Amino acid sequence: MERPVGIFLDRFVLPSGPDAPGRARQRLTADLTGRGVPAEVTETVLLLASELVTNAVLHGHGEPVLEIRTTDDLVWVGVRDPDRRRPQVRHVDADSLGGRGMHLVDALAEDWGAAGVPGDGKTVWFLLRR
């Protein structure tokens, strides 16, 4: 895994349920606004973080932990969950109701990846330019 990039900004545990992505968006909005991150970058961070949190809730079987770091040029977001399986960008049919989250991450992020956390699942992360 690429090590977390930037200065630590926030880390928080989310509930393992349907309101987790919304809570993540609220907290991230406050964090990013406070750091002067442009609105268009913030919107992309919120979208991609929502996708990772949703995946963690659906597949991780535990409470996701979200961490955010920033530099003058970058925003790094990681979502940890207790499932060791790493996400993959999958081909989905046009009429499929799900399965597009990692396509969005792959298409919009500067970089992304996943790494095992010793004894505790994995962290899926993405990096965006500010």
Side-chain angles (χ1 to χ4, degrees), residues 14 21 33 39 41 46 58 61 71 84 86 95 100 102 108 121:
L14 293 158
T33 300
V41 175
L46 298 179
L58 291 176
H61 310 294
T71 70
R84 293 182 184 269
R86 296 179 186 210
D95 58 347
R100 292 180 181 82
M102 293 312 298
L108 299 176

Side-chain angles (χ1 to χ4, degrees), residues 13-20 56-58 60-64:
V13 178
L14 293 158
S16 182
D19 58 338
V57 168
L58 291 176
H61 310 294
E63 295 177 324

Side-chain angles (χ1 to χ4, degrees), residues 54-123:
T54 297
N55 283 350
V57 168
L58 291 176
H59 307 293
H61 310 294
E63 295 177 324
V65 178
L66 191 147
E67 182 175 330
I68 183 166
R69 294 173 171 262
T70 62
T71 70
D72 289 340
D73 301 320
L74 301 168
V75 176
W76 182 95
V77 174
V79 177
R80 188 179 80 216
D81 70 61
D83 185 4
R84 293 182 184 269
R85 293 174 295 167
R86 296 179 186 210
Q88 298 178 357
V89 178
R90 295 191 176 107
H91 173 73
V92 293
D93 295 328
D95 58 347
S96 179
L97 295 178
R100 292 180 181 82
M102 293 312 298
H103 280 283
L104 289 172
V105 173
D106 192 53
L108 299 176
E110 182 79 18
D111 196 11
W112 72 275
V117 175
D120 193 22
K122 68 177 174 308
T123 296

